[in-house]
């Protein structure tokens, strides 16, 4: 069982005012362990914001979840994993890992 909070924190960025991850997952002590960002699709602005966040706050862990991850959890149907944006979410996840 995960303990979580909805939009628990917001971070200042240079290219836009703020970035607020969707969810925060708490560890067993109640401290923030990592954030989860849920994206059905990714725009250029979202991609720039996520990459800037990663470069500005490299110590803060964010897990990006798209259709494939949500389907594995049973939260969306697998047919959505074939959507043209599914690949873009996967590419952004890799870009964040490389940043």
């Amino acid at each position: 069982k995960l303990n979580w909070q909805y939009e628990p924190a917001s971070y200042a960025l240079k290219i836009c005012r703020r970035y607020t991850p969707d969810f925060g997952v708490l560890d067993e002590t109640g401290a923030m362990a990592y954030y989860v960002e849920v994206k059905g699709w990714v725009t250029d602005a979202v991609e720039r914001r996520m990459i800037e966040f990663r470069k500005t706050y490299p110590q803060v862990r964010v897990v990006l979840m798209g259709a494939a991850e949500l389907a594995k959890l049973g939260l969306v149907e697998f047919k959505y994993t074939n959507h043209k944006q599914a690949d873009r979410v996967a590419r952004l996840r890799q870009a964040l890992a490389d940043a």
Side-chain angles (χ1 to χ4, degrees):
K1 177 182 174 188
L2 293 176
N3 291 318
W4 57 275
Q5 295 176 348
Y6 177 68
E7 294 186 346
S10 190
Y11 294 85
L13 297 176
K14 292 177 185 173
I15 65 169
C16 63
R17 292 181 201 190
R18 307 205 62 76
Y19 166 65
T20 303
D22 293 326
F23 301 97
V25 178
L26 307 174
D27 67 16
E28 58 279 346
T29 68
M32 192 61 60
Y34 61 93
Y35 295 107
V36 175
E37 182 69 30
V38 178
K39 291 291 181 210
W41 62 86
V42 175
T43 64
D44 291 343
V46 166
E47 188 170 338
R48 284 190 303 272
R49 182 171 53 242
M50 293 293 299
I51 290 171
E52 182 186 345
F53 174 79
R54 181 73 180 113
K55 288 179 179 178
T56 306
Y57 300 96
Q59 75 282 6
V60 179
R61 183 174 169 220
V62 176
V63 175
L64 178 61
M65 298 184 77
E69 294 75 28
L70 297 174
K72 288 176 187 174
L73 293 172
L75 299 173
V76 300
E77 295 180 35
F78 274 97
K79 68 180 181 182
Y80 294 108
T81 62
N82 293 326
H83 188 278
K84 62 182 178 180
Q85 279 285 327
D87 288 340
R88 188 164 184 186
V89 172
R91 285 193 308 272
L92 176 56
R93 186 179 308 101
Q94 186 60 51
L96 294 173
D98 294 342

